[in-house]
Amino acid sequence: MKETGRSGCPINLTLEILGDRWSLIVLRDMMFGNRRHYRELLAKSDEGIASNILADRLKRLLESGLISRRDDASHKQKGIYSLTEMGIALVPVFAAMADWGRRFLPVTPEMSIRAEILAEGGPALWSKFMDELRFLHLDAPRPAQSVLDQLTAAYREAVERKHATEAEPEAV
Amino acid sequence: MKETGRSGCPINLTLEILGDRWSLIVLRDMMFGNRRHYRELLAKSDEGIASNILADRLKRLLESGLISRRDDASHKQKGIYSLTEMGIALVPVFAAMADWGRRFLPVTPEMSIRAEILAEGGPALWSKFMDELRFLHLDAPRPAQSVLDQLTAAYREAVERKHATEAEPEAV
DNA sequence: GAAACTGCTTGCGATTTGCAATCAGTTGGC
DNA sequence: GCCAACTGATTGCAAATCGCAAGCAGTTTC
């Protein structure tokens, strides 16, 4: 654990770990996009994170205890990054931030559909989603239904709807 | 409004505005400490923000629409910063971040008492607090009871409890 | 008229960021 | 065995940002 920084305020301590432009982007992609490898996080990033920044953030998130890393049996160099309970506990923070963003910022419809569903579902849905993340990242028992599938399906639908009206090819 | 940055994702757009180490600290002090003047924000900051950083953040927050500024009738140079509805709407984000921080980070008891009360009170309490902020910052009608007083009283109590055991003078 | 206070700017060295190129080791196809 | 593709990074470098200290012009107080 790092020495105390600026103050013992929960908001301040949270900002000292997550208060930058990329940490939460990486966690978001792991959480909602189920990206678990370095290359997945690097190449499929909508925002185009640079490789050195990604490496640095993964290192910091590991040190902070938000994610863990284990070797991939299929490839000696490959690592699989997983959310820890501490990382999974950020679901309500993401839900609150995403809801705020979709209400006040110029979001695109297909990118905000998941935020909308999470906002409408409320804490009950967040809790189900967190159970699912524990299954995917912590080897907990598989939950009955998949919130991630629900979110991903809604996102895909929104993307298709967009393409139907714009008639403009784009990678999914 | 600024041009679109990296992506239309609500999380990303939120981070482009608030994703740094100081913006939310300034908003926190305005919201929970009711600090409305530049010097108040500068001098009473627990984390010791630098004057140029504060000036820059106030400018950015003004441009983003999170705060507003009006002249103080009592002093020609003085400005009063207020939260806008967009800023007040961050209450659930602060509550979620503070709750996460107090559960997983080495917070001090007196700094986390308010986070605890907000977590226990839930959305109903947040809503009352937001009404009070609308009264303080947007000239809305005065609400029946003051959540800010409740939070501040609990914080003062926690500080006094700390001093009683540590017997160590400190500014409040 | 001096001192204190107002919001804010400036200078400057240290750190961080963002981008491109590059790296060594691993795997799979032939 | 051999080479191309892929793995998780590292390195170099210019630009931006940060953090600290000092300073500034205008205002108020006494």
Side-chain angles (χ1 to χ4, degrees):
Chain A
M1 192 67 71
K2 210 181 294 179
E3 283 300 307
T4 77
R6 307 185 295 192
S7 88
C9 169
I11 295 289
N12 173 57
L13 289 167
T14 301
L15 288 175
E16 288 189 20
I17 289 185
L18 299 172
D20 71 277
R21 261 165 188 71
W22 289 110
S23 297
L24 284 170
I25 293 287
V26 173
L27 291 168
R28 179 203 62 184
D29 286 348
M30 291 182 65
M31 188 177 282
F32 296 97
N34 202 34
R35 279 160 211 158
R36 310 291 290 275
H37 300 290
Y38 184 93
R39 286 281 162 178
E40 274 184 322
L41 288 163
L42 184 65
K44 295 184 180 175
S45 161
D46 283 334
E47 289 83 14
I49 190 171
S51 61
N52 56 346
I53 309 274
L54 175 58
D56 178 72
R57 289 308 182 279
L58 287 172
K59 199 176 71 179
R60 288 196 201 183
L61 292 172
L62 277 168
E63 286 167 1
S64 304
L66 282 150
I67 63 176
S68 65
R69 187 207 146 113
R70 66 173 204 272
D71 291 338
D72 187 332
S74 77
H75 193 302
K76 282 186 183 167
Q77 266 183 323
K78 231 165 167 176
I80 301 180
Y81 294 96
S82 300
L83 295 170
T84 61
E85 181 60 35
M86 189 179 177
I88 293 171
L90 281 174
V91 164
V93 176
F94 275 112
M97 284 182 62
D99 188 44
W100 183 84
R102 95 190 161 85
R103 285 171 54 202
F104 293 98
L105 302 176
V107 298
T108 57
E110 73 273 13
M111 295 307 288
S112 57
I113 181 69
R114 285 174 289 198
E116 204 173 315
I117 292 173
L118 281 174
E120 281 173 13
L125 185 69
W126 307 345
S127 183
K128 281 208 286 188
F129 183 42
M130 289 167 71
D131 277 341
E132 185 175 1
L133 291 173
R134 288 187 190 99
F135 161 68
L136 290 168
H137 294 255
L138 301 176
D139 299 320
R142 169 177 231 119
Q145 57 203 122
S146 170
V147 176
L148 191 57
D149 285 353
Q150 183 189 342
L151 294 173
T152 305
Y155 167 65
R156 293 241 170 88
E157 249 179 70
V159 170
E160 276 167 32
R161 236 177 296 140
K162 183 193 176 191
H163 291 172
T165 54
E166 293 186 5
E168 181 178 88
E170 188 177 330
V172 180
Chain B
M1 193 68 72
K2 212 181 290 179
E3 282 300 307
T4 78
R6 308 184 297 193
S7 89
C9 169
I11 296 289
N12 173 59
L13 289 168
T14 300
L15 287 175
E16 288 189 20
I17 288 185
L18 299 172
D20 71 277
R21 265 168 186 67
W22 290 110
S23 297
L24 284 171
I25 293 286
V26 173
L27 290 168
R28 179 204 61 183
D29 285 348
M30 289 181 66
M31 189 176 281
F32 296 96
N34 201 32
R35 278 158 212 160
R36 310 292 290 275
H37 300 289
Y38 184 94
R39 287 281 164 176
E40 273 183 322
L41 288 163
L42 184 67
K44 295 186 181 174
S45 161
D46 283 334
E47 289 83 13
I49 191 170
S51 60
N52 55 346
I53 310 272
L54 175 58
D56 178 74
R57 289 307 182 279
L58 288 172
K59 198 176 73 178
R60 289 196 200 184
L61 292 172
L62 276 169
E63 285 167 1
S64 304
L66 281 150
I67 62 175
S68 65
R69 188 206 143 113
R70 66 171 203 272
D71 292 336
D72 187 333
S74 78
H75 193 301
K76 281 187 183 167
Q77 267 183 323
K78 232 165 167 177
I80 301 179
Y81 294 97
S82 299
L83 295 169
T84 61
E85 181 61 35
M86 188 180 179
I88 292 170
L90 282 173
V91 164
V93 175
F94 275 112
M97 285 181 62
D99 188 44
W100 183 85
R102 94 190 162 86
R103 286 171 52 201
F104 294 98
L105 302 177
V107 298
T108 56
E110 72 274 16
M111 295 308 287
S112 57
I113 180 70
R114 285 172 291 197
E116 203 175 315
I117 293 174
L118 280 174
E120 281 173 13
L125 186 67
W126 307 346
S127 182
K128 280 208 286 187
F129 183 41
M130 289 167 71
D131 276 341
E132 185 175 0
L133 291 172
R134 288 187 191 100
F135 160 69
L136 290 168
H137 294 254
L138 302 176
D139 298 321
R142 168 176 233 122
Q145 58 203 125
S146 170
V147 177
L148 192 57
D149 285 353
Q150 183 189 341
L151 293 173
T152 306
Y155 167 65
R156 294 242 171 87
E157 251 178 68
V159 170
E160 275 167 33
R161 237 177 295 138
K162 182 193 178 192
H163 290 174
T165 55
E166 293 187 5
E168 186 179 83
E170 189 178 329
V172 181

